[in-house]
C-alpha cells in the first residue's frame, strides 16, 4: 500500500482552506500541507512530521508550512505568493522521494503568483513538470460521475486560440498521444487503451474543404501509430465525439486545443471532474475549479471535486504501487 497523499494548500485566500477539512469525507489517507492559521476557525487539526504519521480520528493531519502573513478570504496577499509555490515544490519532492503516495493540489491564483513571486509558469502542470526535471507531461481532465467516463487530453493548453494552428505540430500531437497511452496503462490500469483524436477544424476538415491539417498530417499520424499497435482512431469531428454512445468507443480523447476538450467534460461532469497530470514520476491530481475568491470564506464551496480528486489520486497511487 502506498503512503498517504499530500493535499497542498493552494492560494490561502481562496476556497482551499475550507475545502481541506471537508475533504476528510473522501475516506482517503492524506495530509494537508500549509499554514494552519489559514484553516477555518474551529477546524480540528493535528500536526504531523511525515505523511505516514498517525493523527487523532476526525482531525485534519497537517504538515506545517508557515506563511509570512495571515490571510483574508477573497483577498490574496502578495507576501504569501512564494510560500504557495514552495508548498507545491516541497510536496512534489516528498512524492518523488517516496514519502507520499502522490499529491493533490488545491487551486492557485496564477495572477497572485506572478505578481507576488514572479512565477514563470502558466500553471501547476508546467511547474510540476519543471520540478520533476523537465519531463514531458500532458493535462487530462477525467470525469468521475458519468457513464461511460469522459477523459480528455488537450494537445495545446493555455495559449491564445490564434496560436493553436501553428503550435499544434505532428510532433506535439504524437507526444501527447503517446503520453496519454502510457498514462492510461500505468495510472488507470487500462491494458489496451483506445484513444480518439479530434480534428482541428469543423467536421474534421470536411475532406479538406474546411481545413487541411486533418488530411495532410493528422490522419496519416493516426494510421502510423496504429501500425505500431496503438489503438488510435481519428481524426473525428469534435462535435460528435462526446455523447454517450461515442464515449463508449474510446478510453480517452485527445483534443487539439483547450476549449475543444474542456467544454464537453465540464458540461458533463462539472462537480466531479478531476485534473490529472500524466507523465510525471509521481501521481498528481487536482479539483477542476479555481480559487473562487467570490465565495471564499463563506462556507459555500462544494468539496465534491476535491473529494473526487483525492479518490482518483489514491486509485492511481495504488495502481502504481501494485496494491
Amino acid at each position: 500500500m502506498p503512503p498517504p497523499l499530500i493535499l497542498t494548500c493552494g492560494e490561502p485566500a481562496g476556497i482551499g482552506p475550507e475545502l481541506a477539512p471537508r475533504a476528510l469525507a473522501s475516506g482517503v489517507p492524506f495530509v494537508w500541507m500549509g499554514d494552519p492559521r489559514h484553516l477555518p476557525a474551529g477546524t480540528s487539526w493535528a500536526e504531523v512530521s511525515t505523511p505516514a504519521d498517525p493523527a487523532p480520528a476526525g482531525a485534519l493531519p497537517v504538515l506545517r508550512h508557515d506563511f509570512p502573513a495571515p490571510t483574508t478570504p477573497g483577498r490574496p496577499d502578495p507576501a504569501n505568493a512564494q510560500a504557495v509555490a514552495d508548498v507545491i515544490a516541497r510536496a512534489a519532492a516528498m512524492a518523488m522521494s517516496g514519502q507520499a503516495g502522490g499529491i493533490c493540489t488545491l487551486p492557485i491564483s496564477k495572477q497572485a503568483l506572478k505578481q507576488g513571486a514572479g512565477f514563470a509558469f502558466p500553471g501547476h502542470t508546467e511547474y510540476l513538470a519543471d520540478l520533476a526535471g523537465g519531463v514531458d507531461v500532458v493535462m487530462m481532465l477525467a470525469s468521475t460521475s458519468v457513464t461511460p467516463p469522459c477523459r480528455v487530453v488537450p494537445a495545446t493548453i493555455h495559449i491564445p486560440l490564434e496560436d493553436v494552428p501553428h503550435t499544434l505540430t505532428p510532433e506535439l500531437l504524437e507526444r501527447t498521444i503517446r503520453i496519454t497511452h502510457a498514462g492510461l496503462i500505468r495510472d488507470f490500469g487500462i491494458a489496451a487503451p483506445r484513444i480518439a483524436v479530434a480534428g482541428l477544424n469543423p467536421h474534421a476538415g470536411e475532406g479538406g474543404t474546411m481545413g487541411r491539417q486533418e488530411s495532410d498530417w493528422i490522419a496519416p499520424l493516426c494510421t502510423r501509430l496504429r501500425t505500431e499497435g496503438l489503438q488510435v482512431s481519428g481524426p473525428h469531428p469534435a462535435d460528435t465525439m462526446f455523447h454517450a454512445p461515442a464515449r463508449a468507443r474510446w478510453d480517452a480523447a485527445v483534443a487539439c486545443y483547450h476549449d475543444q476538450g474542456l467544454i464537453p467534460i465540464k458540461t458533463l461532469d462539472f462537480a466531479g471532474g478531476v485534473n490529472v497530470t500524466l507523465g510525471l514520476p509521481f501521481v498528481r491530481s487536482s479539483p477542476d475549479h479555481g480559487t473562487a475568491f467570490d465565495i471564499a470564506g463563506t462556507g459555500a464551496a462544494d468539496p465534491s471535486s476535491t473529494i473526487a480528486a483525492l479518490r482518483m489520486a489514491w486509485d492511481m497511487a495504488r495502481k502504481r504501487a501494485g496494491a
Side-chain angles (χ1 to χ4, degrees), residues 159-183:
I159 62 173
L161 188 57
E162 64 182 351
D163 293 341
V164 169
H166 312 293
T167 305
L168 183 71
T169 63
E171 294 77 19
L172 174 60
L173 186 58
E174 179 174 352
R175 185 164 66 247
T176 301
I177 293 169
R178 290 189 183 277
I179 295 172
T180 302
H181 179 265

Side-chain angles (χ1 to χ4, degrees), residues 188-212:
F188 289 85
I190 301 172
R194 303 164 299 163
I195 298 174
V197 178
L200 172 64
N201 299 293
H203 299 189
E206 191 81 31
T209 62
M210 297 184 185
R212 296 204 53 84

Side-chain angles (χ1 to χ4, degrees), residues 49-243:
S49 299
T50 74
D53 289 348
L60 178 69
V62 173
L63 277 173
R64 188 169 190 139
H65 193 103
D66 291 336
F67 277 48
T71 190
T72 300
R75 298 174 59 187
D77 188 335
N80 285 329
Q82 187 58 55
V84 172
D86 291 344
V87 164
I88 300 168
R90 181 183 169 196
M94 294 183 77
M96 285 188 280
S97 71
Q99 296 178 77
I103 67 173
C104 180
T105 57
L106 286 171
I108 57 175
S109 167
K110 302 174 186 68
Q111 181 179 4
L113 283 172
K114 288 179 182 178
Q115 291 177 345
F119 195 68
F121 302 91
H124 265 120
T125 301
E126 296 85 357
Y127 184 40
L128 291 168
D130 184 74
L131 291 171
V135 297
D136 285 331
V137 299
V138 298
M139 178 180 78
M140 171 184 281
L141 275 295
S143 69
T144 58
S145 58
V146 296
T147 303
C150 184
R151 305 183 188 98
V152 180
V153 177
T156 64
I157 308 178
H158 300 122
I159 62 173
L161 188 57
E162 64 182 351
D163 293 341
V164 169
H166 312 293
T167 305
L168 183 71
T169 63
E171 294 77 19
L172 174 60
L173 186 58
E174 179 174 352
R175 185 164 66 247
T176 301
I177 293 169
R178 290 189 183 277
I179 295 172
T180 302
H181 179 265
L184 289 168
I185 295 172
R186 179 171 65 172
D187 294 328
F188 289 85
I190 301 172
R194 303 164 299 163
I195 298 174
V197 178
L200 172 64
N201 299 293
H203 299 189
E206 191 81 31
T209 62
M210 297 184 185
R212 296 204 53 84
Q213 287 89 347
E214 289 82 5
S215 56
D216 285 354
W217 63 266
I218 298 178
L221 171 61
C222 293
T223 299
R224 177 167 60 81
L225 292 175
R226 284 195 295 273
T227 65
E228 296 182 19
L230 277 69
Q231 296 188 53
V232 178
S233 63
H236 300 282
D239 62 346
T240 58
M241 284 180 61
F242 294 97
H243 62 288

Side-chain angles (χ1 to χ4, degrees), residues 207-294:
T209 62
M210 297 184 185
R212 296 204 53 84
Q213 287 89 347
E214 289 82 5
S215 56
D216 285 354
W217 63 266
I218 298 178
L221 171 61
C222 293
T223 299
R224 177 167 60 81
L225 292 175
R226 284 195 295 273
T227 65
E228 296 182 19
L230 277 69
Q231 296 188 53
V232 178
S233 63
H236 300 282
D239 62 346
T240 58
M241 284 180 61
F242 294 97
H243 62 288
R247 296 199 312 275
R249 296 193 289 270
W250 45 261
D251 299 302
V254 171
C256 290
Y257 55 94
H258 185 279
D259 286 8
Q260 186 186 57
L262 269 61
I263 288 174
I265 189 168
K266 290 191 177 188
T267 301
L268 288 167
D269 195 13
F270 187 80
V274 175
N275 185 335
V276 175
T277 305
L278 301 179
L280 290 170
F282 55 90
V283 167
R284 182 262 171 158
S285 72
S286 178
D288 184 26
H289 58 68
T291 52
F293 288 134
D294 58 325

Side-chain angles (χ1 to χ4, degrees), residues 1-3 101 186-187 283 314-323:
M1 192 68 68
R186 179 171 65 172
D187 294 328
V283 167
W314 185 240
D315 286 344
M316 293 166 64
R318 293 181 64 189
K319 285 184 173 65
R320 288 200 184 196

